[in-house]
């Protein structure tokens, strides 16, 4: 143990600088970001680090990372179905690869490989198509057969006994998992160091639009003058947009997940099965982190349900019958704003100065770095970067959708 660590242990927290600080709310900021998750904080960080824009406030109703950033199952991948999606998420994977160095914080990124199982002929065709699209964009991704699945994931049932035997899988070696809280804390720390104000326990209650432009934001801690507001919320994307008079094509669904007691390490890849509605990885503590599809109804409720637990347990046992005695420790839910084409909405809206980073469905966390970076570029240059042009809001009226449903981890 280093002397520094011993000194800190003996002196309590006194010697440790805070990761981010509290500030009085200024009456004016150049940019106000609504939502203190990984997206909002990443954008604040890139505004400061790459564009020198530091008079920025991140407004968070709860505590940072208390929304989707702290409720997801921390899967990172770029094996999407559309070229636009693959290019975008691949840039995100690259930023995740550099993140620990860039933020000087251990985000525990483990690129252990990601397997999407196919149990039907239709799914095999989709995996083959994804593999080809991925390869054309330079992303490592290939179709593999059950013997290779078993080699990568000993213990998985590749026999023909299950209801839906495994026929093939899309293997994506760069995919993996990360410590999601660390991503939030790392961005918060580096944004704070550069002068960004992070206001927790502060809710946005109104957006002041005059003559078609944003002029300010009402919050529970007073009015803030600003010409630029970024809506970086999940679950409340349409609620916040409504305050600016902008209608978004979003419907909100709960997404549930759970974690088991710690087990000896046995699962060294991420396993996803669309047909069985389940994805699972094993954390560094040995817990199985599992999730399913969004709940089959729109709701703002973050309650856990027995129906979810019954179905995920049944589906997990089809893949790993030997787990039948394992106990579940915790269960939780988050909210997903889904768009009609299953791709996000990023960029300008008809209200000048009101920008959106919303509609992530079940893909949001993995896009945090690249979304933050490109939205910062958009704000600084008042121009949409090419990488996110396909995801503009106006695509819905231009009939130029980016259909990404086939890349969902599980069916919706
Ligand atoms: O798209 O990889 C994914 C994912 C995992 C959990 C929810 N979505």
């Amino acid at each position: 143990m280093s002397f520094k660590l011993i000194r800190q242990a003996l002196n309590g927290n006194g010697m440790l600088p805070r990761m981010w600080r509290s500030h009085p709310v200024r009456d004016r900021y150049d940019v106000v970001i609504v939502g203190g998750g990984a997206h909002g904080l990443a954008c604040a960080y890139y505004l400061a680090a790459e564009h020198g824009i530091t008079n920025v406030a991140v407004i968070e109703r709860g505590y940072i990372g208390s929304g989707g950033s702290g409720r997801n199952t921390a899967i990172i991948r770029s094996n999407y179905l559309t070229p636009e999606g693959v290019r975008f998420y691949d840039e995100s994977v690259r930023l995740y690869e550099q993140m620990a160095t860039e933020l000087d914080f251990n985000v525990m990124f483990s690129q252990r490989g990601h397997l999407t199982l196919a149990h039907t002929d239709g799914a095999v065709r989709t995996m083959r198509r994804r593999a080809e699209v991925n390869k054309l964009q330079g992303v490592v991704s290939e179709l593999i057969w059950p013997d290779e699945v078993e080699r990568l994931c000993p213990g998985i049932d590749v026999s023909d006994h299950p209801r839906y035997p495994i026929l093939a899988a899309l293997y994506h070696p760069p995919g993996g998992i990360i410590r999601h809280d660390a991503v939030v804390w790392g961005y918060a720390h580096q944004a704070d160091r550069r002068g960004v104000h992070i206001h927790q326990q502060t809710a946005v209650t109104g957006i002041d639009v005059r003559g078609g432009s944003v002029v300010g934001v009402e919050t529970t801690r007073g009015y803030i003058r600003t010409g630029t507001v970024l809506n970086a919320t999940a679950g409340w994307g349409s609620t916040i947009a409504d305050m600016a008079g902008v209608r978004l094509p979003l419907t909100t669904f709960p997404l549930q997940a759970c974690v088991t007691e710690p087990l000896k390490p046995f699962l060294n890849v991420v396993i996803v099965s669309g047909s069985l509605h389940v994805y699972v990885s094993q954390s560094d503590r040995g817990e199985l982190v599992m999730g399913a599809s969004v709940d089959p109804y729109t709701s703002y409720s973050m309650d856990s349900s027995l129906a979810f637990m019954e179905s995920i347990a049944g589906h997990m046992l089809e893949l790993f019958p030997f787990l039948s005695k394992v106990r579940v420790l915790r269960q939780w839910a988050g909210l997903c704003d889904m768009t009609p084409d299953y791709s996000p909405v990023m960029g300008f809206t008809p209200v000048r100065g009101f920008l959106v980073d919303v509609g992530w469905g079940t893909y949001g966390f993995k896009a945090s770095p690249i979304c933050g970076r490109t939205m910062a570029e958009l704000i600084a240059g008042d121009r949409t970067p090419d990488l996110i042009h396909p995801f503009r809001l106006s695509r819905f009226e231009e009939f130029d959708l980016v259909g990404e449903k086939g890349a969902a981890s599980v069916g919706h």
Side-chain angles (χ1 to χ4, degrees), residues 198-220:
I198 298 171
H199 298 301
Q200 303 184 91
Q201 305 289 329
T202 307
V204 168
T205 52
I207 296 176
D208 194 2
V209 177
R210 296 189 199 169
S213 300
V214 168
V215 294
V217 174
E218 297 281 0
T219 80
T220 46

Side-chain angles (χ1 to χ4, degrees), residues 251-272:
T251 37
T252 302
F253 294 84
L255 179 63
Q256 300 194 45
C258 62
V259 65
T260 68
E261 62 187 329
L263 307 172
K264 278 191 182 166
F266 74 94
L267 182 60
N268 199 28
V269 282
V270 180
I271 293 286
V272 176

Side-chain angles (χ1 to χ4, degrees), residues 78 131-132 159 182 200 253 306 320 351 355-357 366 409 412:
S78 60
E132 294 310 315
S159 74
Q200 303 184 91
F253 294 84
L306 183 59
F320 300 100
V351 172
L355 312 168
V356 287
D357 154 10
K366 57 182 65 54
S409 264
H412 294 309

Side-chain angles (χ1 to χ4, degrees), residues 73 75 77 80 114 255 279 362-363 366 409:
T73 43
I75 296 173
R77 65 184 175 96
Y80 278 72
H114 181 284
L255 179 63
Y279 35 85
T362 61
Y363 300 149
K366 57 182 65 54
S409 264

Side-chain angles (χ1 to χ4, degrees), residues 97-118:
E97 285 169 345
Q98 304 155 13
M99 187 175 280
T101 311
E102 176 160 4
L103 301 183
D104 191 21
F105 199 68
N106 185 2
V107 288
M108 296 165 75
F109 186 24
S110 159
Q111 291 182 284
R112 55 185 61 187
H114 181 284
L115 289 179
T116 313
L117 307 177

